[in-house]
Amino acid sequence: MAVKIRLKRMGKIRTPFYRIVVADSRTKRDGRVIEEIGTYNPKTDPSTINVDSDRAQYWLGVGAQPTEAVAAILKLTGDIGGESSLKQPEPKADKAELFNAALKDLHAEPKKSATTKAKKAEEPKAEETPAEEPKAEEPKAEEPKAEETPAEDTKADEA
């Protein structure tokens, strides 16, 4: 029987998650398997790869043939020819530490906001001068009315 080490697709649409499995080469891609030896998640940054190295070495020693994708994964983990070159994800920060840091930021901001209030108090003075300029334009709107009066005087002279 020809045995392959290949990927079994799991997960939702556009969210693939793979299991690294040992299966008969004649079965379907997601069909019956002999053994699951690891997982692969390409959507995380960096990709998450977990392989049971002892079982992978056993199946490779017995003659199971890895597919191209699995061979690339096994090279990264160091199960095929060499050292492991996996990038480990950064450890997640503790939620309590994040909360305490956010509290410190909140308490630090009011000191900064006092200086911004002083700056805002100065800004309305600058806004008052542009408000005076439209008042200067208002007499211009009255000037056409002044021009109409001489036209009325000429009509009175003609009569």
Side-chain angles (χ1 to χ4, degrees):
M1 165 170 39
V3 178
K4 291 253 184 195
I5 302 175
R6 61 184 181 196
L7 297 176
K8 178 179 181 178
R9 191 180 196 279
M10 309 288 284
K12 300 178 184 177
I13 296 173
R14 290 186 273 295
T15 313
F17 178 84
Y18 298 95
R19 290 185 183 167
I20 302 169
V21 297
V22 178
D24 182 13
S25 63
R26 297 170 286 186
T27 61
K28 300 178 192 176
R29 174 190 72 174
D30 300 335
R32 189 171 57 111
V33 299
I34 299 170
E35 183 180 358
E36 293 180 5
I37 60 171
T39 60
Y40 169 59
N41 188 355
K43 287 292 193 173
T44 59
D45 187 36
S47 298
T48 306
I49 301 171
N50 297 319
V51 178
D52 184 3
S53 295
D54 294 335
R55 296 308 295 165
Q57 291 298 323
Y58 168 78
W59 284 107
L60 290 170
V62 172
Q65 294 297 314
T67 60
E68 291 179 18
V70 173
I73 291 171
L74 293 176
K75 284 179 185 175
L76 287 174
T77 60
D79 292 319
I80 295 180
E83 299 177 13
S84 174
S85 61
L86 278 178
K87 295 180 182 176
Q88 297 298 324
E90 296 179 13
K92 293 183 179 179
D94 185 28
K95 289 184 180 181
E97 292 175 10
L98 291 174
F99 179 74
N100 291 333
L103 281 177
K104 287 179 183 177
D105 290 342
L106 284 175
H107 293 297
E109 286 181 15
K111 294 176 184 176
K112 294 179 183 178
S113 63
T115 57
T116 56
K117 287 180 183 177
K119 290 180 182 178
K120 289 181 181 178
E122 295 174 6
E123 290 177 7
K125 293 178 183 176
E127 292 176 3
E128 290 174 5
T129 54
E132 294 174 4
E133 291 178 12
K135 292 179 182 176
E137 294 177 7
E138 290 177 10
K140 292 180 182 177
E142 294 175 5
E143 289 177 10
K145 293 180 182 176
E147 292 175 8
E148 293 175 6
T149 53
E152 293 174 4
D153 291 337
T154 55
K155 290 180 184 176
D157 292 335
E158 291 174 7

